Amino acid sequence: MATVILLRHARSTANGAGVLAGRQPGVALSDRGVAQASELVDRLAGVPVAAVVTSPLDRCRQTLAPLLDRLGLDAAVEPDLAEVDYGQWTGRAIRDLLSEPLWSVVQQHPSAAVFPEGEGLATVQARAVAAIRAHDARVTAEHGPRAVWVACSHGDVIKAVLADALGVHLDGFQRIVVDPASVSVVQYTETRPFVLRVNDNGGDLSVLAPPPEKVEEPPSSDAVVGGTTGA
């Protein structure tokens, strides 16, 4: 199967303000986020990206814009990679949520957390993993098993996908760190996923380019099967 680069969107205005943005409209990249999006082009310059998939939210689209321009590609929009639907928590300051009883559930037992009038984190993991695996199968069918593709999504969504790939219960996903503009890399196979990188913030990604395929040399004209040539 192919290799997916899980890209968290660059730093947004909500990240800087300490607000749980969720699916709230009008959340754009901050100045730092715009710079991170630009830097991403150089980071991926040595990687032959075959396809790009994105959450429908603006901050993901803005993060990908410079990269797509360089690649000459369009991103497929995948609703199941959208941010968590935080329901009534959407738009609230994180400092105000710390006193909510549900906050400790989110941190200690996230598989049981369901946001008021929103969705549960277990549902988030199920939809996101299914979407990533489906797109990985599609990219593999279209571009071959050595293909590399990018999926741009959100922190909790990517953490949930990584927990699945690592074989970690969702209750352990808060141990995984996924910073804005970081990349994590998963290679899916017929038997199990392999997690190649987590929360990479500046490493050389050209190593993700598949090595050249070996070309078998034709046998020499004087080769003899089963022995040497004799005179």
Side-chain angles (χ1 to χ4, degrees), residues 16-196:
V19 171
L20 196 63
R23 300 180 179 182
Q24 191 176 39
V27 178
L29 298 186
S30 65
D31 290 343
R32 175 57 186 143
V34 171
Q36 289 174 328
S38 179
E39 292 162 3
L40 180 67
V41 176
D42 290 334
R43 291 193 66 201
L44 292 175
V47 182
V49 176
V52 180
V53 179
T54 184
S55 155
L57 298 183
D58 287 344
R59 52 194 184 272
C60 287
R61 293 172 179 267
Q62 291 172 1
T63 298
L64 288 172
L67 179 64
L68 292 172
D69 184 61
R70 195 269 293 176
L71 295 173
L73 295 175
D74 293 322
V77 177
E78 176 51 71
D80 283 338
L81 292 183
E83 178 62 289
V84 180
D85 181 356
Y86 293 113
Q88 292 180 354
W89 280 23
T90 301
R92 293 184 60 185
I94 292 175
R95 66 176 180 274
D96 295 335
L97 295 171
L98 298 178
S99 59
E100 295 278 356
L102 181 60
W103 184 264
S104 62
V105 179
V106 172
Q107 300 304 315
Q108 305 299 329
H109 192 30
S111 64
V114 179
F115 296 97
E117 298 186 14
E119 65 181 335
L121 288 172
T123 301
V124 173
Q125 183 180 53
R127 65 165 165 86
V129 169
I132 290 293
R133 288 179 175 271
H135 281 286
D136 192 76
R138 174 183 62 82
V139 172
T140 299
E142 293 177 1
H143 301 280
R146 292 154 54 88
V148 181
W149 62 287
V150 172
C152 187
S153 188
H154 307 267
D156 282 346
V157 179
I158 293 174
K159 286 162 58 177
V161 172
L162 288 172
D164 171 78
L166 288 164
V168 174
H169 194 279
L170 184 59
D171 286 346
F173 100 130
Q174 295 290 24
R175 301 183 182 191
I176 302 170
V177 176
V178 176
D179 294 325
S182 68
V183 300
S184 300
V185 183
V186 179
Q187 185 176 62
Y188 289 94
T189 74
E190 293 181 355
T191 55
R192 60 185 177 272
F194 292 92
V195 179
L196 306 183

